[in-house]
Amino acid sequence: LGILAGNKLFFGAFLIFVLARREWRASVFFVAGGVFTLLISAVGAGLPSILDYLRVLGGVTWYSATWNSSILGFVTRLFGEPGNDPLIRIPLLASILGKSFSLLGLGLLILMARRGHSKGSTQGLNDLAFSACIVLMLIVSPLGWMYYFPFLLIPLTVIWRESLRLPERGWIRAGLISAWLLSTTPKLLVQSDHLEGDPVLILGWAGTYFYSLIIFVVLLWR
């Protein structure tokens, strides 16, 4: 996981996950893996390339592209960012909502991590907590693109298995199938500057990936 975080920063959510569970050995190995990856990158491509990468990240203006399934992607399609045509242009509101809901998502991640590691917790609860981290990292990350969705096979499998323990498993599995179908909605990429304020696109096709993740979170919480 640390090596993954060294390649894709949003896997850093798992560091919060293991710290919340007070798994200190796992935390040390995570950090070591991330640092090792960064050192390999610095040796292979040079430190300036890493600094350039961070600079480019700081100048991103395409959060609202339709393949971005994160909360920030959704609210910037609604309320705007530099260079796009949102549903309603209130970019300050997009920034406030994006940051607020991201913090809420991180708080939920910590809470579910602790629940999965509480006294008397089962392997199933641990698996559900791990799965929740996968889903929440995609929601909270500013660039949680839909081509990372193969990772959702893990929560899909865990929820299906754990639903056997619940009397409402029929409803849970129906919700799971709905979430999976939404996550696989075929839609060509529409760039931020081509949204044209279209409500059908912004609230419909472009929102399906985000809606899928929200359903996954609700099912994992249950």
Side-chain angles (χ1 to χ4, degrees):
L1 289 170
I3 291 171
L4 284 173
N7 285 277
K8 292 293 182 181
L9 293 177
F10 60 73
F11 277 98
F14 278 98
L15 180 58
I16 298 173
F17 177 80
V18 292
L19 287 172
R21 293 160 64 92
R22 299 176 184 175
E23 295 177 335
W24 311 124
R25 186 165 175 263
S27 303
V28 169
F29 274 96
F30 188 105
V31 172
V35 169
F36 173 77
T37 307
L38 290 175
L39 288 175
I40 292 294
S41 301
V43 170
L47 183 60
S49 67
I50 296 176
L51 298 177
D52 285 343
Y53 173 69
L54 295 174
R55 179 183 54 78
V56 169
L57 279 182
V60 169
T61 58
W62 57 86
Y63 295 117
S64 55
T66 56
W67 283 1
N68 188 359
S69 62
S70 71
I71 180 64
L72 186 59
F74 185 72
V75 296
T76 52
R77 287 190 288 271
L78 290 178
F79 302 115
E81 65 176 335
N84 81 337
D85 299 307
L87 192 63
I88 305 169
R89 182 161 292 285
I90 317 175
L92 179 60
L93 182 59
S95 177
I96 293 171
L97 289 177
K99 292 174 182 176
S100 299
F101 282 108
S102 292
L103 288 173
L104 181 64
L106 288 174
L108 185 60
L109 189 159
I110 293 170
L111 179 60
M112 295 185 77
R114 293 299 299 157
R115 282 181 62 183
H117 197 56
S118 59
K119 185 178 180 180
S121 64
T122 62
Q123 184 61 50
L125 281 175
N126 276 287
D127 291 344
L128 288 167
F130 187 90
S131 298
C133 189
I134 293 174
V135 178
L136 287 167
M137 78 177 183
L138 294 172
I139 294 176
V140 170
S141 168
L143 295 170
W145 295 92
M146 52 77 72
Y147 46 72
Y148 299 124
F149 277 13
F151 288 111
L152 294 178
L153 284 167
I154 296 173
L156 175 78
T157 304
V158 170
I159 294 171
W160 189 274
R161 184 194 69 200
E162 293 302 308
S163 67
L164 288 171
R165 308 171 188 274
L166 299 174
E168 66 269 43
R169 58 181 173 271
W171 288 104
I172 290 176
R173 289 186 169 184
L176 187 59
I177 292 170
S178 299
W180 185 255
L181 290 175
L182 286 171
S183 77
T184 58
T185 301
K187 179 66 181 175
L188 293 175
L189 173 66
V190 178
Q191 300 287 359
S192 301
D193 55 351
H194 288 86
L195 294 175
E196 299 178 348
D198 182 355
V200 175
L201 173 63
I202 291 171
L203 296 174
W205 291 109
T208 54
Y209 305 127
F210 173 69
Y211 304 148
S212 168
L213 295 180
I214 294 299
I215 295 172
F216 266 107
V217 169
V218 171
L219 295 176
L220 285 162
W221 178 265
R222 176 63 191 94

